[in-house]
Amino acid sequence: MASVPFHYVDLRAFCYVTEDEKRVASALETFLPEDVELDRAESEGHHGDRILVLSARVENADGMRTVLENLEDLPDEDRRRLEAELDERVNENCAFFLTFDKQAAFNGEVRFGDGITFRAKVEAYPANREAAVENTREYLEAV
């Protein structure tokens, strides 16, 4: 089993007034271990509409493996895209970003799209973008 080169993984989805909160929570839970609870925070849109922010942080290695196992289910096209864009998906703060299709996740599928934001803080020593990209690349090649 590959070691997990991340300090934590955050997942977040917005639930707009036109969406069913249970369905959005279900989509987000597609990626999460069973014992992780969702945090809920209310916000307000530009026109005063309610936006519910659902989020979760996974900090233990087993939990992060559960989240990351979903990357194995990406369609081949998305995996190739991830490999090609990896340099652009890791920032100067050593954070690795992905976005997943919320509707697909509700249906139990994992593919890139909009609606679910994934952010992982990459372990990198020294803590710089290049080391973070390399650690992430090595992990993705091992799984």
Side-chain angles (χ1 to χ4, degrees):
M1 190 177 307
S3 72
V4 180
F6 303 109
H7 293 288
Y8 58 82
V9 174
D10 289 330
L11 289 159
R12 182 182 68 202
F14 295 134
C15 179
Y16 298 99
V17 72
T18 57
E19 295 177 309
D20 180 350
E21 179 183 342
K22 289 179 184 174
R23 291 173 63 106
V24 174
S26 176
L28 198 56
E29 290 166 349
T30 296
F31 294 89
L32 295 170
E34 289 182 20
D35 62 340
V36 174
E37 292 197 25
L38 293 178
D39 294 325
R40 290 168 166 75
E42 283 202 29
S43 188
E44 189 173 294
H46 180 70
H47 298 287
D49 50 321
R50 178 193 67 94
I51 299 173
L52 185 62
V53 182
L54 303 176
S55 62
R57 175 170 282 190
V58 180
E59 297 179 296
N60 65 57
D62 287 340
M64 284 188 281
R65 279 189 196 92
T66 299
V67 174
L68 295 166
E69 284 173 359
N70 289 289
L71 298 180
E72 297 173 21
D73 296 334
L74 282 170
D76 290 341
E77 178 182 323
D78 286 349
R79 285 192 66 87
R80 285 190 299 273
R81 180 176 160 200
L82 175 56
E83 292 168 11
E85 296 175 354
L86 187 57
D87 289 347
E88 301 162 23
R89 293 182 175 276
V90 177
N91 70 12
E92 294 299 326
N93 294 321
C94 300
F96 171 47
F97 292 92
L98 299 171
T99 57
F100 296 102
D101 185 304
K102 187 169 30 174
Q103 184 63 43
F106 175 73
N107 292 322
E109 300 171 25
V110 177
R111 67 174 185 245
F112 288 156
D114 294 323
I116 297 176
T117 303
F118 165 103
R119 179 179 70 123
K121 181 69 171 184
V122 183
E123 290 179 356
Y125 305 100
N128 62 48
R129 185 177 167 282
E130 292 75 24
V133 169
E134 187 57 32
N135 288 351
T136 304
R137 185 180 319 282
E138 287 176 8
Y139 179 78
L140 293 172
E141 288 173 354
V143 293

